[in-house]
Amino acid sequence: MNLTMSAPAHAPVLVKETVEALAVQQGGRYIDCTVGGGGHAAAILDHSSPGGQLLGIDADPEAIKIAQKRLEAYGGSVCLINDNFVNLQAICIKYDFLPVHGILFDLGLSSLQLNGSGRGFSFRHDAPLDMRFSPSQKVAAADILDELSEGELNHIIKTYGEEGYSHQIARRIVQERPIKSSLQLARIVEQAVGGRRGRIHPATKTFQALRIAVNNELEHLEAALNQAINLLGFEGKLVVISYHSLEDRIVKRFMRQEAKDCICPPGTLTCVCGHIASLRLIKKKVITPSLEEVKLNPRSRSAKLRAAERIIASTEKTRDTISVP
Ligand SMILES: C[S@@+](CC[C@H](N)C(=O)[O-])C[C@H]1O[C@@H](n2cnc3c(N)ncnc32)[C@H](O)[C@@H]1O
């Protein structure tokens, strides 16, 4: 099965809050680094009309097909690129799309990928353990499960899943492999942790860990955030929606660090880092969905939105500030 054949559409999360945090303006230029089903992109295009432009990126070619359909009505205002956002800066240069008024990352997976892709992202449907966002990636989840040592598997499950039973799960995987399908893996994890407790499926963290490892998600996020700063014009906005603590920690630390003039270790008497603030935090506190949104769209319950804006650095030692015309 592929995404285009799958049933319910992806419901975008925190749409109003995203448009507000991006301060979307008429004629503005925006990048949606995770265009997915095109829900946020459509809202940005609606609010930036007339004259707004959107560059939408997604690593998943199936998602790009869906976004193309969804955003057809916006014609030449949209440019969709099937690529990984780790290449953000190169994409913007190639398509002459900079500086920009706002950049959005809505991280992770869409419901379409989770429920209808047949790529083994979910333990609720049986599918081969692929978990790649793009078929151009070389390593699938099944390769990791088949080829890594027990120690390496333990490291992945512990680090990217924050799973307390990582040792037991890794041992069981090595005993039971080859592991061919998502339901087989879910059963193995369930047995390794001694059965189900509570409402959350015991395989949730292992599936998260594998997906992060397959797609290098954390490394790519860090790299793309660093690139994003230099693509924003003066007062351009950076908005990131994350869905688990590992992602949110990276975003929080990045924005806080970039909002500081000096990042020397505490206790350093004279600054030696020379770091200059390039961002201002728009809201100090994280934005989360209302109870009403969570009720309508339970997938939104873990969403956290953080936003910052580009500032002109206060001294000569600026980054390459690009000003919006
Ligand atoms: C939560 S969905 C985005 C949904 C979208 N905001 C909407 O309104 O439909 C996340 C999307 O990001 C894509 N994605 C995740 N990591 C990516 C990366 N490193 N580069 C490009 N796309 C990525 C996924 O393929 C997925 O389609």
Side-chain angles (χ1 to χ4, degrees):
M1 200 195 308
N2 66 29
L3 292 183
T4 22
M5 289 156 66
S6 62
H10 172 85
V13 169
L14 291 166
V15 176
K16 185 170 149 279
E17 294 81 353
T18 299
V19 169
E20 267 171 31
L22 284 168
V24 177
Q25 53 182 282
Q26 280 183 1
R29 199 156 30 175
Y30 298 91
I31 305 173
D32 183 343
C33 295
T34 49
V35 74
H40 285 105
I44 293 168
L45 284 158
D46 287 341
H47 285 81
S48 60
S49 163
Q53 285 181 298
L54 181 123
L55 178 78
I57 300 170
D58 205 292
D60 186 342
E62 295 291 335
I64 291 288
K65 276 190 216 157
I66 293 171
Q68 260 158 358
K69 231 173 168 183
R70 169 95 192 255
L71 303 173
E72 210 169 12
Y74 299 95
S77 307
V78 191
C79 172
L80 295 174
I81 312 291
N82 178 210
D83 203 337
N84 196 297
F85 60 55
V86 76
N87 302 318
L88 180 59
Q89 188 158 333
I91 296 168
C92 290
I93 292 169
K94 180 170 174 191
Y95 291 91
D96 195 17
F97 201 83
L98 75 179
V100 293
H101 293 86
I103 301 180
L104 169 67
F105 292 84
D106 176 24
L107 299 168
L109 282 179
S110 70
S111 316
L112 299 157
Q113 289 165 323
L114 197 62
N115 301 322
S117 70
R119 275 178 260 165
F121 286 116
S122 166
F123 42 78
R124 295 187 206 289
H125 313 273
D126 206 17
L129 284 161
D130 182 325
M131 296 198 189
R132 291 171 299 169
F133 285 144
S134 162
S136 67
Q137 293 165 227
K138 293 205 172 62
V139 179
D143 302 320
I144 291 183
L145 292 169
D146 264 358
E147 289 165 26
L148 296 197
S149 67
E150 185 178 323
E152 288 166 327
L153 287 169
N154 171 40
H155 176 74
I156 287 178
I157 298 167
K158 190 165 152 190
T159 315
Y160 298 146
E162 301 188 290
E163 169 60 85
Y165 292 95
S166 57
H167 283 290
Q168 291 88 329
I169 296 169
R171 192 173 317 133
R172 193 85 186 204
I173 287 171
V174 170
Q175 283 164 0
E176 303 269 341
R177 61 193 184 188
I179 301 168
K180 293 287 175 213
S181 79
S182 47
L183 287 191
Q184 187 190 356
L185 177 62
R187 262 195 313 272
I188 288 170
V189 175
E190 204 174 322
Q191 286 160 1
V193 305
R196 281 187 178 226
R197 301 173 203 95
R199 280 177 42 233
I200 311 258
H201 193 288
T204 305
K205 292 177 175 177
T206 301
F207 272 68
Q208 172 185 303
L210 278 173
R211 197 198 82 208
I212 291 175
V214 166
N215 296 292
N216 275 326
E217 290 182 36
L218 305 183
E219 293 83 352
H220 288 175
L221 174 60
E222 288 222 45
L225 289 175
N226 274 299
Q227 295 170 37
I229 291 191
N230 289 330
L231 305 171
L232 291 169
F234 176 53
E235 294 185 343
K237 313 289 189 272
L238 174 63
V239 175
V240 188
I241 306 174
S242 60
Y243 294 88
H244 57 76
S245 57
L246 295 169
E247 284 170 348
D248 185 53
R249 232 173 276 151
I250 290 174
V251 178
K252 181 169 146 187
R253 205 178 44 218
F254 175 81
M255 287 188 175
R256 288 200 175 157
Q257 173 159 311
E258 290 307 320
K260 278 191 200 159
D261 267 340
C262 166
I263 52 169
C264 288
T268 310
L269 293 178
T270 314
C271 171
V272 288
C273 70
H275 187 264
I276 304 290
S278 54
L279 292 179
R280 184 180 73 80
L281 303 182
I282 296 175
K283 295 247 194 297
K284 292 250 165 12
K285 278 204 170 157
V286 68
I287 297 169
T288 53
S290 62
L291 288 175
E292 206 180 350
E293 177 165 3
V294 175
K295 226 180 194 173
L296 287 171
N297 179 13
R299 198 189 71 86
S300 71
R301 69 185 174 279
S302 51
K304 288 190 168 148
L305 183 152
R306 294 188 186 270
E309 72 178 352
R310 184 79 164 94
I311 53 171
I312 287 211
S314 53
T315 78
E316 295 287 281
K317 294 183 284 177
T318 61
R319 283 171 176 266
D320 300 327
T321 305
I322 310 163
S323 61
V324 173

